[in-house]
Amino acid sequence: MTKSLLSVQDLRVDFDTYDGVVKALDGVTFRILEGEIFGLVGETGCGKTITALSIIRLVPENGRITQGRILFRAEDLLQKTEEEMRKLRGGKISMIFQDPSVSLNPVFTVGEQTTHIISVHQNLERDDAVRKTIEAFELVALSDPEKTMKQYPHELSGGMQQRVMIAMALSSDPDMLIADEPTSSVDVTIQAQLLKRLMQIKSTRNLAILLITHNMGIVAETCDKVGVMYAGNIVEMGPMREVLKNPLHPYTQGLLAAIPKPETRRTRLPLVKGSIPDLINRPQGCAFHPRCPYAIDVCQAEKPVLLENGPGRYAACHLVNR
């Protein structure tokens, strides 16, 4: 039986702003098994990236985790010291950030940066760290690893920068990879190559991946399970094929209906009307009810709970769970 690797339980994160307290995460719960790809999808600002940063304890200074547990191999990361977290980050848990041009240091070659990470986390001498860097660059199919090592980030294309970021993340042989929009800065052809490479590496290493994206096509190609986020909550979760084929939550239905299909190319696509709510003055009850075409009285009064609705299928919706 596959073991649970990461368990996020009732995670809540607040941010202090001049306008008030932003409830960025309002009770997020999900689990990722060993060797599993879990897709976290939703509109910009729904809390996907904050979820990832909370897992590795890198929430920005004006934010704070107010409640919840983050269990990695049954150990609560929220109870660990900063020194313990530094060893874990880039070691057992690695993260690919969204924009490689910002994440890579412009004054050092990509080889120096990768070698440094390997040296720190694996306590290797320089020659061994250089050898591991070349191996990591070969793993992500960089065509000339020795030449690439001597180049600065600005000398590389967006696709090559992203490959370097993936190589850095995988160089310590982590148990889990957090990939935050890993292909958003590259064109469709490079995107397909990067995803294919990630899938190959995942299979050979039994690597678990938390894949953060707004692209349902990427989810369909890569994920085992998917969680749909809205306004700091997971509103639907389950096996990828079942969620995409038979979405339960009205928000998921709206997202999928807005995806262009060959048969709808000459028709106007339906939209999820309205906009995401103000997370300082969150709507009472279900946060989606002002935009939901099926909202009933209870939706305005009570926040729905994420409940199991069939084997492995979860939804936070009064209509689904009544």
Side-chain angles (χ1 to χ4, degrees):
M1 182 177 179
T2 306
K3 294 181 180 179
S4 174
L5 181 67
L6 178 79
S7 177
V8 176
Q9 302 171 4
D10 195 28
L11 183 63
R12 299 172 189 268
V13 178
D14 291 351
F15 282 86
D16 296 317
T17 71
Y18 290 113
D19 296 322
V21 177
V22 175
K23 300 286 185 183
L25 299 182
D26 192 35
V28 171
T29 296
F30 63 92
R31 184 175 65 142
I32 301 177
L33 305 180
E34 292 179 341
E36 182 176 66
I37 301 183
F38 184 92
L40 201 55
V41 301
E43 293 171 281
T44 299
C46 70
K48 303 187 300 294
T49 296
I50 292 302
T51 300
L53 294 177
S54 298
I55 291 169
I56 57 175
R57 296 256 305 272
L58 287 180
V59 174
E61 289 185 1
N62 65 324
R64 60 189 183 277
I65 297 173
T66 62
Q67 186 174 311
R69 302 174 76 200
I70 302 172
L71 303 179
F72 181 73
R73 294 205 179 281
E75 295 184 7
D76 193 348
L77 301 186
L78 300 184
Q79 302 301 318
K80 290 190 175 293
T81 65
E82 181 54 33
E83 178 63 26
E84 289 172 327
M85 285 304 301
R86 272 197 294 269
K87 292 178 180 177
L88 199 66
R89 292 187 209 110
K92 292 301 181 184
I93 304 177
S94 289
M95 182 164 176
I96 304 169
F97 292 92
Q98 191 166 351
D99 188 349
S101 64
V102 173
S103 302
L104 292 169
N105 192 323
V107 302
F108 294 101
T109 67
V110 295
E112 290 173 314
Q113 295 179 60
T114 308
T115 300
H116 174 71
I117 289 173
I118 291 173
S119 298
V120 168
H121 286 286
Q122 300 186 41
N123 194 27
L124 296 177
E125 297 295 331
R126 176 170 175 77
D127 288 348
D128 291 330
V130 168
R131 177 179 52 79
K132 292 271 296 187
T133 298
I134 293 172
E135 291 174 358
F137 283 7
E138 289 173 342
L139 184 67
V140 296
L142 283 165
S143 57
D144 192 343
E146 288 86 355
K147 178 183 177 182
T148 303
M149 282 186 65
K150 300 173 184 176
Q151 293 180 303
Y152 291 87
H154 72 272
E155 298 179 288
L156 304 178
S157 67
M160 290 182 72
Q161 288 181 5
Q162 196 62 283
R163 285 175 192 262
V164 168
M165 290 295 296
I166 295 171
M168 285 182 177
L170 295 174
S171 62
S172 61
D173 196 16
D175 294 330
M176 180 173 178
L177 177 67
I178 300 173
D180 187 3
E181 300 278 6
T183 59
S184 62
S185 60
V186 297
D187 62 39
V188 175
T189 303
I190 300 299
Q191 178 186 100
Q193 293 174 1
L194 288 174
L195 289 173
K196 182 179 179 181
R197 199 66 186 167
L198 266 181
M199 293 291 286
Q200 290 171 342
I201 294 167
K202 175 258 182 189
S203 298
T204 57
R205 295 191 174 191
N206 196 34
L207 178 70
I209 301 176
L210 172 58
L211 178 63
I212 295 170
T213 183
H214 63 273
N215 188 324
M216 286 293 193
I218 290 177
V219 170
E221 290 176 22
T222 60
C223 293
D224 301 302
K225 290 195 305 193
V226 59
V228 181
M229 286 197 78
Y230 183 79
N233 292 282
I234 290 184
V235 296
E236 181 165 354
M237 183 167 59
M240 177 272 293
R241 287 183 175 83
E242 293 183 27
V243 171
L244 298 192
K245 184 177 180 180
N246 181 32
L248 301 176
H249 197 281
Y251 177 63
T252 313
Q253 294 169 6
L255 284 181
L256 294 174
I259 297 174
K261 302 177 182 65
E263 64 269 20
T264 60
R265 63 180 180 174
R266 296 184 182 277
T267 61
R268 188 179 181 88
L269 291 172
L271 299 176
V272 180
K273 295 180 179 179
S275 57
I276 58 175
D278 179 358
L279 297 184
I280 296 176
N281 299 299
R282 195 180 264 279
Q284 188 174 353
C286 175
F288 186 62
H289 88 257
R291 306 174 69 184
C292 181
Y294 312 111
I296 54 179
D297 289 345
V298 68
C299 302
Q300 301 178 41
E302 297 178 17
K303 180 183 175 181
V305 178
L306 189 68
L307 297 177
E308 190 166 15
N309 196 285
R313 296 294 308 272
Y314 294 84
C317 178
H318 292 298
L319 289 169
V320 174
N321 295 326
R322 61 180 177 176

